[in-house]
Amino acid sequence: RLDDAAVAALVASPVVDHVRCLDLSATRVSDAGARAIAGSSRLGALRCLRLADSGVSPAGVRALRASPGLSGLLDVQLTRE
């Protein structure tokens, strides 16, 4: 399962430059991973982010919401529907 360090490495990689949907549900991603996502300059194409059943708290969600690099997000899932 992915953890914060793996997510930080992933979102720093050019492999995510054109990713439109990133599903990190049921991972060990916490607020540190959310901050890495929020701080990434490579996620400009991202439209969908799924973090259901992860360890992201309201503080991590605030970091994601405040990120100018994620302004194109249209679909954010934090809980299972």
Side-chain angles (χ1 to χ4, degrees), residues 7-20 40-45:
V7 169
L10 175 67
V11 301
S13 168
V15 74
V16 296
D17 285 353
H18 302 288
V19 169
R20 295 184 59 79
S40 175
S41 63
R42 298 194 169 273
L43 295 173

Side-chain angles (χ1 to χ4, degrees), residues 18 22 24 38 42-44 51 65 70 80-81:
H18 302 288
L22 184 59
L24 299 172
R42 298 194 169 273
L43 295 173
L51 292 165
R65 288 183 55 156
L70 298 177
R80 293 271 180 209
E81 293 180 6

Side-chain angles (χ1 to χ4, degrees), residues 34-76:
R35 286 190 300 273
I37 293 166
S40 175
S41 63
R42 298 194 169 273
L43 295 173
L46 196 66
R47 299 295 173 260
C48 162
L49 178 60
R50 296 201 167 93
L51 292 165
D53 297 328
S54 68
V56 177
S57 76
V61 173
R62 284 191 295 275
L64 293 169
R65 288 183 55 156
S67 172
L70 298 177
S71 63
L73 275 177
L74 301 172
D75 178 19
V76 179

